[in-house]
Amino acid sequence: MALPPTLRPYRMRLRGTLKSPWSRRKRKRALTRHQWYSFFAPDGKLRDGGVKFLKKVRSGGVDPSIRAEVWPFLLGVYSLNSSRAERIAVRQQKRKEYEKLRRRCQRLLKLSNEGEKELKEIVQVSYAESPIFIEGHESPGSGDVFSARESLSVDRGCPSDGNIEQPSRDETSASNSCNVEEEGKSGITHVNDASAGETESSDTESSTEDEPESHLMFSAAEENMETDPNYIKITTSEGDNRKSSQTAEDFATWQRIIRLDAIRANAEWVIHSPAQALVSKDKALKSAVAVGLKDHDHLEPCRIYHAARLVAILEAYALYDPEIGYCQGMSDLLSPILSVMEEDHEAFWCFVGFMRKARHNFRLDEVGIRRQLNIVSKIIKSKDLHLYRHLEKLQAEDCFFVYRMVVVMFRRELTFEQTVCLWEVVWADQAAIRAGIGKSAWGRIRLRAPPTEDLLLYAIAACVLQRRKLIIETYSSMDEIIRACNNMAGQLDVWKLLDDAHDLVVTLHDKIE
């Protein structure tokens, strides 16, 4: 039966929304505990290779009560085809590997505190010894290397500040470095949301065990730390030379930066993880001692414990992935994971899974950042040429104004809960790609659009396109757009953002990728 002419526009709008799994009209509720358990066969394997599971997460995220169980699957800690027995074995092995990394961290910390000459002789080996390369993780991209406009800059702000600006073009540096600039010149605002856990961290239990010296290589770094507690600056040498030898002073430098970042972490996570916030003072102080965390007298016990967990896992990751080491901004990505995962070794491996993709945001030559900004620019140009030409007039067509969104993945622009919802959907897309889901024509029809590694970039482009009229009619300079982007905190609807991002994937995926 044909619709009356007055209702035909409604039919067109309805058709337009049906293609998006995040549409307000079609969006389903988050994955519940009952649904989660129903996806498993008796042997503990996900039915149909996890297809229904991933489609459910793509459409509504994950209920907070089961995130600790679900995230290891989304982040590749467990294979979607693994059985219950296989996951138990993987968990035990991964815990041992994490504890081994923590013992190495403890050894290096002890040598550093004692001022032994041995500290300078620990590592003189190649990147081939690093676990991240042994396990076959992604190596740095081989695309064109652009000169960095600036290295990762992070200001220690709280989520409600909203007054920190990214550097203008004249304030940026072309050097390969990882800098924390003076307040007001920061490229991205740094927010930590990590939580304190209920359980003792595994490094505390095993720190007294004797462990041979680490045969891991640290990224080249020459220390140049400012004395002002509000900022520090590190100048780093070439970071992509796997054959070069390194010194343990690099790790000592990372240790100091990590501790400064951990102490400054805020407590936004508390209302989302009330059970983890009830850690005792004795437990918090014991954890702080285990990782050499000091200057925490002004913090509540839960924040001391949370800071100690940040230190433990970030140090372990610096050993695990020495090419990246530690750069400020990485703690932003770890914080929500810590708020969900109570066991340190589980949080660590989830973070490793997250960083498999995100690590390119922290490469010293910024190839990963440049690639992503270029994709955002292409999406905007393909979708809205008028807006793109206006950006060209402002010399902003390279989309540097979304630099912060790219590096810390909307952590600054969204609330805590919005952030993890967005990340869950992004992770589901990436997990689908790893599992080979959605590549066939059949899969694309059923899913309405193929999963993409770059869903976050489509969301960033959607965020810009949502403000096209304001940008075209109001903003007359790059700096004005940067200020507007930095003031978006609390103003975004994450599901509308994902809805628009998915529409962009539907229409532009083949053109962009």
Side-chain angles (χ1 to χ4, degrees):
M1 179 178 175
L3 288 175
T6 55
L7 294 181
R8 286 174 186 168
Y10 171 78
R11 179 178 64 183
M12 296 303 294
R13 290 196 300 272
L14 181 60
R15 284 180 176 174
T17 60
L18 287 177
K19 65 185 177 183
S20 171
W22 300 295
S23 165
R24 289 175 179 272
R25 195 171 279 109
K26 292 291 292 182
R27 192 179 84 233
K28 299 178 181 179
R29 295 184 179 180
L31 174 68
T32 65
R33 182 178 297 275
H34 175 73
Q35 291 170 328
W36 171 237
Y37 292 152
S38 72
F39 289 146
F40 287 92
D43 63 353
K45 286 189 176 182
L46 281 168
R47 304 179 193 275
D48 67 17
V51 173
K52 291 180 180 178
F53 156 59
L54 294 178
K55 287 177 67 176
K56 181 62 181 177
V57 176
R58 289 183 88 215
S59 67
V62 180
D63 186 90
S65 66
I66 57 172
R67 279 175 173 153
E69 300 175 41
V70 175
W71 282 13
F73 288 85
L74 293 177
L75 291 167
V77 180
Y78 300 140
S79 166
L80 295 178
N81 294 313
S82 62
S83 66
R84 185 181 298 107
E86 289 170 339
R87 291 194 294 274
I88 291 174
V90 167
R91 188 175 187 273
Q92 292 174 345
Q93 178 61 31
K94 292 295 186 183
R95 178 164 189 156
K96 291 179 181 178
E97 291 178 23
Y98 173 73
E99 289 174 347
K100 185 175 182 180
L101 287 168
R102 281 303 312 156
R103 289 195 294 273
R104 288 169 174 162
C105 291
Q106 291 285 344
R107 179 63 172 163
L108 287 170
L109 178 63
K110 179 181 178 181
L111 293 175
S112 178
N113 290 337
E114 294 175 356
E116 297 182 15
K117 292 182 179 180
E118 185 181 4
L119 176 65
K120 298 182 180 180
E121 302 171 357
I122 291 179
V123 279
Q124 294 292 334
V125 295
S126 71
Y127 270 106
E129 300 293 336
S130 173
I132 195 167
F133 296 112
I134 293 174
E135 294 195 1
H137 286 238
E138 291 182 359
S139 60
S142 58
D144 293 337
V145 178
F146 300 89
S147 90
R149 175 176 289 183
E150 71 162 15
S151 63
L152 179 64
S153 300
V154 186
D155 186 278
R156 315 304 305 175
C158 65
S160 58
D161 290 345
N163 59 353
I164 306 298
E165 298 180 6
Q166 289 177 267
S168 66
R169 293 174 182 272
D170 294 336
E171 292 171 329
T172 59
S173 168
S175 63
N176 289 336
S177 60
C178 178
N179 298 330
V180 178
E181 303 294 352
E182 299 180 32
E183 185 174 358
K185 296 182 181 179
S186 171
I188 52 176
T189 307
H190 182 80
V191 185
N192 282 312
D193 304 291
S195 68
E198 290 287 345
T199 59
E200 292 288 339
S201 62
S202 58
D203 62 279
T204 302
E205 300 169 358
S206 59
S207 60
T208 58
E209 298 183 30
D210 189 22
E211 176 70 20
E213 302 298 351
S214 170
H215 293 293
L216 300 175
M217 175 177 178
F218 309 128
S219 295
E222 295 178 359
E223 179 185 3
N224 181 23
M225 300 183 65
E226 303 291 341
T227 57
D228 188 330
N230 290 325
Y231 65 93
I232 49 181
K233 181 177 182 180
I234 302 171
T235 304
T236 344
S237 62
E238 183 64 35
D240 197 24
N241 183 359
R242 299 189 187 182
K243 298 299 183 181
S244 62
S245 297
Q246 310 298 326
T247 63
E249 283 90 340
D250 304 327
F251 183 73
T253 298
W254 292 333
Q255 284 182 312
R256 286 190 286 272
I257 305 169
I258 288 169
R259 282 162 179 72
L260 287 171
D261 287 355
I263 290 296
R264 286 193 281 254
N266 67 39
E268 185 187 1
W269 59 271
V270 172
I271 61 174
H272 300 279
S273 305
Q276 295 187 44
L278 298 178
V279 63
S280 68
K281 184 174 182 179
D282 287 345
K283 188 174 183 178
L285 293 177
K286 182 178 179 181
S287 297
V289 170
V291 298
L293 185 66
K294 303 176 182 178
D295 302 323
H296 51 64
D297 294 341
H298 62 293
L299 297 179
E300 300 89 348
C302 65
R303 293 187 65 186
I304 295 173
Y305 188 67
H306 130 79
R309 294 188 74 201
L310 273 175
V311 170
I313 293 174
L314 290 171
E315 280 187 348
Y317 187 81
L319 284 180
Y320 178 82
D321 186 358
E323 182 193 10
I324 301 301
Y326 177 73
C327 191
Q328 290 174 305
M330 289 167 59
S331 53
D332 288 276
L333 306 186
L334 173 60
S335 295
I337 294 175
L338 278 182
S339 74
V340 170
M341 311 301 296
E342 295 187 4
E343 293 281 354
D344 282 9
H345 66 97
E346 292 180 337
F348 173 78
W349 290 109
C350 282
F351 183 61
V352 168
F354 194 4
M355 287 294 290
R356 184 180 292 111
K357 173 79 173 177
R359 69 189 294 273
H360 300 296
N361 291 358
F362 304 98
R363 285 191 59 195
L364 302 181
D365 57 16
E366 294 195 325
V367 168
I369 292 294
R370 290 293 184 173
R371 171 195 167 272
Q372 294 176 86
L373 293 178
N374 186 47
I375 289 176
V376 173
S377 178
K378 286 182 178 180
I379 295 171
I380 294 173
K381 183 177 182 180
S382 299
K383 181 65 177 180
D384 194 329
L385 188 58
H386 182 47
L387 172 60
Y388 182 80
R389 285 174 176 169
H390 180 72
L391 294 176
E392 282 185 315
K393 291 179 182 178
L394 304 183
Q395 296 184 325
E397 72 277 8
D398 58 1
C399 293
F400 176 63
F401 52 87
V402 299
Y403 185 96
R404 187 178 73 183
M405 294 182 193
V406 171
V407 176
V408 289
M409 301 183 173
F410 270 114
R411 185 63 198 91
R412 177 63 177 178
E413 288 70 30
L414 298 174
T415 65
F416 180 90
E417 183 63 25
Q418 286 178 324
T419 298
V420 294
C421 286
L422 174 68
W423 287 0
E424 284 167 349
V425 176
V426 170
W427 295 341
D429 259 24
Q430 294 170 357
I433 291 173
R434 288 197 303 270
I437 299 171
K439 290 185 177 181
S440 67
W442 178 87
R444 293 182 61 176
I445 292 171
R446 289 295 301 275
L447 296 172
R448 296 300 198 280
T452 171
E453 288 276 7
D454 295 318
L455 180 60
L456 180 84
L457 305 182
Y458 284 92
I460 291 173
C463 181
V464 176
L465 290 165
Q466 286 175 358
R467 287 153 180 77
R468 68 175 305 277
K469 183 176 181 181
L470 191 64
I471 293 173
I472 293 173
E473 296 181 357
T474 306
Y475 302 143
S476 58
S477 71
M478 167 81 146
D479 290 342
E480 289 181 7
I481 304 178
I482 290 176
R483 281 193 291 271
C485 288
N486 288 350
N487 289 329
M488 285 181 184
Q491 301 178 24
L492 298 176
D493 180 337
V494 67
W495 294 108
K496 177 62 167 65
L497 198 64
L498 283 167
D499 188 29
D500 290 352
H502 189 259
D503 285 341
L504 290 173
V505 173
V506 170
T507 57
L508 300 176
H509 183 270
D510 291 335
K511 297 178 182 178
I512 301 301
E513 303 186 15

